[in-house]
Amino acid sequence: AQCSLNGQVVPCSQLPTWFWGIIVVMALSAIVFFWFLIDCIRFEEHKTPWILVLIFLPFVGLFLYYFLAKRKRNKVSVKSKK
């Protein structure tokens, strides 16, 4: 396989290992982003503000949504099951 690095075509095996780490982190971030976005659309009562936070503050928005909305909702659902 051929990859492009600084405008030159090089074998993909010659790309630095940190490059692949960045690709993996970006892919995982995208997966978590879409997972939280779908979760927000399906379960949140106040969808619009959370969707805007997730879209316009992607990394900070993920943490805010998880700690302020998702965990709170999970605690309520666990208490209601008891």
Side-chain angles (χ1 to χ4, degrees):
Q2 298 290 320
C3 295
S4 177
L5 181 63
N6 294 331
Q8 297 177 350
V9 176
V10 296
C12 291
S13 62
Q14 290 184 355
L15 289 177
T17 55
W18 57 264
F19 177 79
W20 298 112
I22 291 172
I23 296 297
V24 169
V25 168
M26 288 174 60
L28 290 175
S29 296
I31 290 168
V32 170
F33 172 79
F34 285 111
W35 175 29
F36 279 17
L37 190 62
I38 291 167
D39 182 78
C40 175
I41 291 168
R42 289 180 65 200
F43 299 113
E44 276 303 314
E45 186 176 321
H46 306 288
K47 294 176 184 3
T48 305
W50 279 116
I51 291 171
L52 293 174
V53 167
L54 288 171
I55 290 174
F56 290 111
L57 302 169
F59 296 107
V60 174
L62 292 175
F63 289 103
L64 288 174
Y65 180 73
Y66 179 76
F67 287 109
L68 298 177
K70 190 167 175 53
R71 283 184 63 188
K72 186 170 111 177
R73 188 177 66 237
N74 288 343
K75 285 182 182 178
V76 170
S77 67
V78 168
K79 287 180 182 178
S80 64
K81 288 181 182 180
K82 290 183 178 180

